[in-house]
Amino acid sequence: MREQEPVLQEHSELKNIVEAALFAAEQPLTIRNLKSLFPLDAQPTTEQIGAALKQLESEYDNRGIELRRVGKGYRFQSREKYAPWLRRINEGRPPRYSRAMLETLAIIAYRQPVTRGDIEEIRGVGVSVDIMRSLLNRGWVKEIGHRDVPGHPALFDTTAEFLAYFNLRSLSELPPLKQKREPAEVARELNLRLPLETAATEELGEPHESEYPAANPDAPHSAEIIQLAHISQQDHG
Amino acid sequence: MREQEPVLQEHSELKNIVEAALFAAEQPLTIRNLKSLFPLDAQPTTEQIGAALKQLESEYDNRGIELRRVGKGYRFQSREKYAPWLRRINEGRPPRYSRAMLETLAIIAYRQPVTRGDIEEIRGVGVSVDIMRSLLNRGWVKEIGHRDVPGHPALFDTTAEFLAYFNLRSLSELPPLKQKREPAEVARELNLRLPLETAATEELGEPHESEYPAANPDAPHSAEIIQLAHISQQDHG
Amino acid sequence: PQDLYIPPDALEVILESFEGPLDLLLYLIRKQNIDILDIPVAAITRQYMEYVELMRAAKLDLAAEYLVMAATLAEIKSRMLLPRPVGDEDEEDPRAALVQRLLEYERFRDVAQKLDDLPRVGRDIYIARTDFNDPQPLRLLPKVELDELAVAFQRVIQRAEHLRHLHVTREVLSVRERMTRIMQQLETHEFRRFEDLFDVIEGRMGLVVSFIAILELCRDELIVVVQNQPFAPIHVRTAA
């Protein structure tokens, strides 16, 4: 029986489990990983796993995918020669910029020139180096100097390429904002670091009702329920 | 040449590309998706793609994984019988869903499109925002518009992801819903079973043998509950 | 009588497991092997109310729908008591609407269970995927619409307004800021008396904020609070 081990039947369960596991796992699986799929009292030997892998490797010869060893692990991957076709899978779905990226770009476009600190202040959260780097790499944003304050932070504005991409003749063609308030007021707020006093007086007692609408009034339930609760209490009390 | 099309060579490039693409894609791929892998001037016909899929299906017969259509797309997936082994790859336990969530999902799936009100009507209790949000976030359910009644409540139906998650080719593969009993029929049966005289006596506190046969040992139901109420009060009081 | 005793914890689990009044009613009906078309309303109402009382006693969040159903049952019960003209076949049984709802809910409750049993991704089946081996990965540049830019800016402004609104109340006495200040104070002095970290002039809010800041710093294990013996002075130092 021992010498029979390394030779597996064409569709042995062991081989099938190893195969399914390699496809289901997100990372390459080591022989140790593969062993641990089995309960302790039914664990295959390293040789058995090895034989299954070998068998799989040869079965996928000439197919669209291949079994590869990476480091100590094994995984299936598409064959390199089919890459030109596979690239088109994602073509229909171009990647999208993150919210953070779009907001950063928007702030630079509408409020240029700005420093990273300005952007962070407006967004209320930090701006990662990656975001700035991507925008610079894309050629939509450039550094145009430094603000003359302590630390001399870099100032950014948008480029001609940015205008060209969005088909704009000038920044004045950027879509206007649908303001609820005076644009000048908003602009002032965003451009300036408002001293605390100003902010306080401006904001005190201004309910933001439009932003947070009151709960939907068409809830006819509660009155009805209270009434019924009365009935129920009468009946049982 | 035409009649030769559906029969593919064992390792045709077309079949290999389809295979590699299905494995590399993040979602199930439709025949249309698969066609679009090829340049316009070299696009295979629907029949050719279909033949490749068929061939792949049979080649993966008896392996650890299988080709399966879910919704309109195709994907490779592990065979159900190997789940006990594969569960050990991923540490976390597979999620379990509450009855509230499953019932809500079932009502949407069988009755689509439905409003939240429809769901609440059937279940007899409110549908929590969390459940709807959870279903929407999982991508199993989507809003497809509003019902043209006062309040314009949102209408929901299930998505392709729902089918894919539950391994279904179409909604018709959902487990059958028990036949609905017509209101008229129910009313008639109720009347048949309730002679008028019985109605009167039953409610006048006379022991009703058929309801609680004295011989039946698990009749003292209410006593049991009252006793439990005591226990519970001790525990919480 | 094997199920006579249910431990209170288990009882709570049972009570919590009801998905609403219809579910509870179905349970009561099923438990006694009653035909759903032949519900003894008086008895079921009594049992239903007992369960509802139990839920109340267990201090469970009792959905309002349970009370609505109690009222409905009471109404049906009283209607059943009313004498009906003999031979009037058209008069609807008072239970008809409820039975209809129970039957309808039961269909979906049962099928939801079957839905749960369907083989599903991540539990019974796993998606078979491989890496895409691409020697020259194509760098697709994301597309952006001009409108998206405007929407993004709009969103930023709205959030900035909201944030600033919060700022006003927070800025005056920020716990975070106070934490920083305390850390600075501890940088210059290795040990500081606990009381010295408070400034009475700031008033009660200031004291509270300082106290919360100290608790936060303790929790983050940035500072250590020491007291050598009961009623001895309390000292604070940085954890490092």
Side-chain angles (χ1 to χ4, degrees), chain B residues 142-202:
Chain B
K142 67 178 186 303
E143 211 185 291
I144 50 146
H146 296 265
R147 184 172 289 163
D148 198 13
V149 294
H152 295 274
L155 283 165
F156 298 94
D157 72 2
T158 53
T159 61
E161 282 102 314
F162 166 77
L163 293 177
Y165 185 81
F166 286 101
N167 202 29
L168 300 168
R169 267 177 279 252
S170 74
L171 289 172
S172 65
E173 281 191 352
L174 282 169
L177 188 61
K178 219 166 96 188
Q179 184 91 36
K180 185 181 175 146
R181 303 189 60 170
E182 288 308 315
E185 182 202 333
V186 171
R188 205 167 47 243
E189 277 204 57
L190 281 170
N191 274 340
L192 277 180
R193 287 172 194 232
L194 188 73
L196 298 173
E197 303 76 34
T198 326
T201 46
E202 186 198 325

Side-chain angles (χ1 to χ4, degrees), chain B residues 20 22-26 65-66 75-81 83 86-88 90 94-100 102-103 105-107 109-111 120-126 162 164-168 173-184 186-187 189-191 193-197 199-200 202-204 211-212 220-222 224-233 235-237, chain C residues 1 3-9 11-12 17-23 27-28 31-32 34-44 46-47 50-51 54 57-59 63 65-66 77 80-81 84-97 99-101 103-132:
Chain B
L22 290 174
F23 278 118
E26 274 165 40
I65 55 172
E66 62 185 333
R75 73 177 175 205
F76 281 104
Q77 62 187 41
S78 67
R79 264 173 219 285
E80 209 183 320
K81 64 172 169 172
L86 302 192
R87 265 175 218 142
R88 288 193 198 124
N90 306 311
R96 301 191 54 188
Y97 304 108
S98 67
R99 278 182 55 203
L102 288 164
E103 287 176 9
L105 184 59
I107 292 168
Y110 286 86
R111 272 289 168 80
E120 296 181 339
E121 176 127 351
I122 293 176
R123 296 194 63 230
V125 325
F162 166 77
Y165 185 81
F166 286 101
N167 202 29
L168 300 168
E173 281 191 352
L174 282 169
L177 188 61
K178 219 166 96 188
Q179 184 91 36
K180 185 181 175 146
R181 303 189 60 170
E182 288 308 315
V186 171
E189 277 204 57
L190 281 170
N191 274 340
R193 287 172 194 232
L194 188 73
L196 298 173
E197 303 76 34
E202 186 198 325
E203 302 299 331
L204 289 176
E211 227 181 280
Y212 291 110
H221 189 59
S222 39
E224 174 191 329
I225 286 172
I226 287 160
Q227 197 193 336
L228 286 166
H230 275 298
I231 296 165
S232 135
Q233 242 148 14
D235 197 47
H236 296 276
Chain C
D3 63 346
L4 200 67
Y5 176 74
I6 308 173
D9 287 351
L11 175 71
E12 213 161 304
S17 72
F18 293 120
E19 285 295 329
L22 295 176
D23 192 32
Y27 167 81
L28 295 173
K31 198 172 180 201
Q32 296 164 75
I34 303 171
D35 186 337
I36 204 165
L37 287 169
D38 197 12
I39 303 175
V41 179
I44 287 289
R46 199 183 326 117
Q47 290 161 13
E50 280 161 358
Y51 270 87
L54 274 181
K59 297 194 172 63
E65 289 88 348
Y66 281 101
K77 195 171 95 177
M80 303 273 295
L81 287 172
R84 290 189 295 163
V86 178
D88 186 352
E89 296 295 321
D90 295 337
E91 171 94 9
E92 194 178 61
D93 189 299
R95 301 170 300 180
V99 168
Q100 194 63 43
R101 285 182 71 196
L103 287 171
E104 185 68 350
Y105 171 61
E106 192 181 38
R107 292 166 76 212
F108 285 99
R109 194 193 62 173
D110 293 351
V111 91
Q113 182 56 52
K114 288 187 194 140
L115 198 63
D116 198 24
D117 296 338
L118 284 180
R120 67 164 96 117
V121 172
R123 188 187 68 184
D124 312 293
I125 48 179
Y126 296 83
I127 310 289
R129 296 203 51 206
T130 64
D131 283 327
F132 174 21

